[in-house]
């Protein structure tokens, strides 16, 4: 619980059999997590058995892709505060408190892995991934004249339940560039958001996306195309957001 609200953690899994159990236990050990939902996205054999040894709840999403798994997790979580994370050991469960602190003022809290001092030795964050994520994030920040962004691909994020459900209902991307769509939907919805630095550790096993430069470049290109499509559809401007709980809808104004 956090300030009287139930906290759910969502883990989307495909190739994390060897790390998922310790990650789940780590989140429960923080003392603030009430529920862990694991979305089995056609995960490797033995993953379900590892999850069964924990207190997490397993749901299956047959449609392959990070976006499909994310959407399913956002809809399945029952907490008032929903945290997305990776089950591959790259994030510290204890960093969830950083996200929770800002949830008192913001609807969405985005993690960033681009702070040099928090990138651990051996983490999969070479110059291409670091500056690529930063560049796409800045493209979005500039295009929508919005709050500071520095990492478009960090999964570690918190969403208030109402925003999580609203975003899940409007997601269209099923693939690996869905992380960028989540940020874009947050911006155009008028939700309050902030970005905070999180630790980034070496991954257990090999990623099917960031472990391959060609695949990573394809995802980055798809993110740029998606951001430009949203830019054309919405236009560059600022969002004037009403106080939480107000009836008035957010208003987008041309800059």
């Amino acid at each position: 619980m956090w300030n009287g609200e139930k906290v759910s953690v969502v883990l989307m899994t495909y190739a994390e059999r060897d790390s998922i159990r310790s990650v789940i236990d780590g989140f429960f050990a923080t003392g603030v997590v009430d529920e862990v939902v694991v979305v089995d996205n056609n995960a490797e054999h033995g993953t379900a058995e590892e999850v069964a040894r924990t207190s997490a709840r397993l749901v299956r999403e047959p449609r392959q892709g990070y976006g499909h798994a994310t959407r399913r997790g956002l809809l399945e979580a029952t907490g008032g505060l929903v945290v997305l994370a990776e089950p591959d050991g790259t994030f510290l469960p204890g960093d969830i408190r950083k996200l929770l602190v800002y949830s008192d003022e913001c609807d969405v809290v985005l993690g960033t892995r681009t702070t040099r001092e928090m990138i651990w030795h051996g983490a999969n964050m070479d110059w291409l991934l670091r500056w690529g994520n930063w560049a796409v994030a800045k493209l979005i920040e500039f295009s929508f004249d919005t709050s500071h962004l520095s990492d478009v691909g960090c999964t570690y994020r918190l969403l208030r339940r109402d925003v999580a459900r609203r975003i899940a209902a409007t997601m269209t991307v099923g693939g690996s560039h869905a992380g960028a769509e989540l940020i874009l939907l947050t911006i155009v919805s008028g939700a309050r958001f902030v970005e905070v630095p999180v630790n980034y550790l070496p991954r257990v096993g090999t990623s099917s996306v960031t472990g391959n430069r060609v695949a990573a470049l394809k995802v980055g290109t798809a993110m740029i195309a998606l951001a430009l499509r949203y830019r054309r559809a919405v236009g560059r401007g600022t969002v004037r957001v009403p106080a939480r709980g107000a009836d008035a809808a957010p208003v987008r104004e041309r800059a």
Side-chain angles (χ1 to χ4, degrees), residues 204-224:
V204 176
T206 303
S207 170
S208 59
V209 177
T210 58
N212 182 302
R213 282 200 170 185
V214 174
L217 283 170
K218 287 182 179 179
V219 172
T221 301
M223 286 181 172
I224 292 171

Side-chain angles (χ1 to χ4, degrees), residues 161-226:
R161 186 181 181 185
D162 58 337
V163 176
R165 293 296 175 91
R166 190 161 65 243
I167 285 177
T170 52
M171 287 179 67
T172 61
V173 175
S176 298
H177 56 298
E181 184 180 41
L182 192 150
I183 291 177
L184 290 163
L185 288 172
T186 295
I187 293 170
V188 301
S189 74
R192 292 178 177 82
F193 72 92
V194 68
E195 190 181 65
V196 298
V198 295
N199 287 278
Y200 194 54
L201 285 66
R203 188 191 199 279
V204 176
T206 303
S207 170
S208 59
V209 177
T210 58
N212 182 302
R213 282 200 170 185
V214 174
L217 283 170
K218 287 182 179 179
V219 172
T221 301
M223 286 181 172
I224 292 171
L226 184 68

Side-chain angles (χ1 to χ4, degrees), residues 89-164:
T90 52
F91 296 125
L92 289 179
D95 274 352
I96 193 173
R97 293 180 180 275
K98 298 178 183 178
L99 309 184
L100 290 168
V101 165
Y102 283 95
S103 71
D104 296 338
E105 287 85 29
C106 295
D107 304 302
V108 177
V109 185
L110 306 170
T112 174
R113 307 159 298 170
T114 57
T115 304
R116 185 186 302 274
E117 290 77 9
M118 294 187 180
I119 301 174
W120 291 37
H121 178 71
N124 186 24
M125 187 56 72
D126 61 13
W127 68 268
L128 178 63
L129 288 174
R130 184 181 177 205
W131 290 107
N133 274 287
W134 180 89
V136 179
K138 289 303 175 186
L139 170 65
I140 294 174
E141 179 185 332
F142 173 78
S143 297
F144 294 91
D145 190 21
T146 191
S147 299
H148 172 82
L149 290 170
S150 63
D151 187 359
V152 76
C154 182
T155 301
Y156 214 173
R157 297 167 174 175
L158 177 149
L159 302 89
R160 300 193 68 85
R161 186 181 181 185
D162 58 337
V163 176

Side-chain angles (χ1 to χ4, degrees), residues 42 45 58 66 123 175 190 209 238:
N42 302 308
H45 180 72
L58 183 71
Y66 172 77
V209 177
T238 57

